[in-house]
Amino acid sequence: MSRPLAAIVDYGIGNLFSVRRACEVVGLRAVIAAEPSLVRLADAVILPGVGAFHQAAAALRDRGLDRAVREAAAWGKPLMGICLGMQLLMSRSFEFGCHEGLGLIPGEVVRLQEGGPGERRVKVPHVGWNSISEPPGAVPLSRWFGSPLEGLTNGTTMYFVHSYRVEPRDRDVVLAVTTYGPETFVSCLWQGRVFACQFHPERSGPAGLSVYRRWAATWVRDGSLEKSA
C-alpha cells in the first residue's frame, strides 16, 4: 500500500522543510505544494506559516491556494494548520488592520496582551517553550481522546513563536489552551477534520512529533476519526 500524500501549502511564508521532514518520519509522503493542483491531489493538507497575516492571506489568494484549501476542507480531507496557518483558518485578523481569512473556523485573530498595571508583564512576541492543557472544565484527558493530542498529558510543553492569538466563536472547538502572562489563549483547535495548533510541532521534540504521528496514523491513513457534535 502506498503511503498517503500530504501537501504542505507553499505560499512563500513558512518553515516548509522541517514540516516535510516530520511528515516523512511518521510515514507520510510529503510534497511542498505551490500549485493548487497539488493540494487537490493530496490525501491531506498542511497549512504552515510564520510572519504577517495580511501578507500570507494575499499570497494564498494570488496563487489560488485559498480556494484549494477551502475545497480540501469541504471534501473532508484532513487539514492541519500550524502557527500562522492556524490563524489563517479564522474569519479575520486584526493584525495591521482588518483582513479576511479563509473562514473555515468562525472567529478572529487578536494581539496577545503584554499585561497592564498590577499584572505580570511579558514580552510579545511569545517565543519559547510553554505548556498546553485541556480547556477549563474538561474531564482530564477526555477531550484529547481521538485527537492528534491523544497520548499527551496536561502540561506537555511545545515551542511557540507568535504575537497574535485566535478567538473562535464556538468554544466547543477549543482542544487546548496555554497561559502566557495575563491571559490564557487557545493553543489548539479541532473542528471536524480540521486540526490546528498555535505551536510548532515540528520544532517541539518527541511530543511534537507524536502530534504528527497521531494525525497521520488515524486521520490520514484511514480517515475514520471525526469529532462528535
Side-chain angles (χ1 to χ4, degrees):
M1 180 182 296
S2 63
R3 294 180 298 162
L5 178 65
I8 303 168
V9 181
D10 178 12
Y11 52 98
I13 304 174
N15 192 17
L16 306 179
F17 296 100
S18 60
V19 174
R20 183 172 69 179
R21 176 57 181 159
C23 289
E24 292 170 346
V25 168
V26 302
L28 294 173
R29 291 182 297 142
V31 59
I32 294 176
E35 297 293 332
S37 58
L38 289 176
V39 176
R40 294 186 175 102
L41 286 172
D43 301 299
V45 178
I46 299 175
L47 183 64
V50 294
F53 184 101
H54 67 288
Q55 293 176 339
L60 285 172
R61 289 192 301 270
D62 290 345
R63 301 183 184 197
L65 291 165
D66 59 335
R67 180 178 297 179
V69 172
R70 288 191 183 101
E71 288 173 353
W75 293 338
K77 292 184 180 183
L79 171 61
M80 180 191 295
I82 300 172
C83 195
L84 179 59
M86 175 187 186
Q87 297 174 12
L88 288 165
L89 300 177
M90 309 301 286
S91 304
R92 64 187 58 84
S93 171
F94 291 101
E95 181 180 4
F96 302 117
C98 181
H99 307 279
E100 296 300 310
L102 293 170
L104 296 177
I105 299 178
E108 299 173 341
V109 181
V110 299
R111 185 172 171 81
L112 286 168
Q113 299 178 25
E114 297 179 0
E119 295 179 323
R120 178 193 169 200
R121 295 187 63 82
V122 293
K123 293 182 179 179
V124 176
H126 171 210
V127 179
W129 294 88
N130 205 339
S131 61
I132 63 171
S133 301
E134 289 189 297
V139 177
L141 300 182
S142 65
R143 201 173 187 90
W144 290 357
F145 179 76
S147 82
L149 299 186
E150 184 175 345
L152 301 179
T153 59
N154 275 322
T156 295
T157 56
M158 299 291 185
Y159 190 79
F160 292 82
V161 183
H162 64 118
S163 298
Y164 285 75
R165 60 181 177 85
V166 300
E167 284 190 349
R169 294 176 194 167
D170 181 3
R171 299 301 294 185
D172 286 343
V173 306
V174 178
L175 187 62
V177 296
T178 295
T179 298
Y180 184 62
E183 64 184 333
T184 297
F185 65 87
V186 176
S187 49
C188 277
L189 297 171
W190 180 16
Q191 177 178 280
R193 303 296 297 282
V194 177
F195 167 76
C197 50
Q198 186 61 66
F199 55 84
H200 288 270
E202 70 281 353
R203 299 178 63 183
S204 297
L209 198 59
S210 77
V211 173
Y212 280 100
R213 183 171 289 111
R214 175 68 181 169
W215 186 72
T218 56
W219 289 12
V220 178
R221 288 208 176 96
D222 62 30
S224 63
L225 292 182
E226 287 194 27
K227 186 178 179 183
S228 60

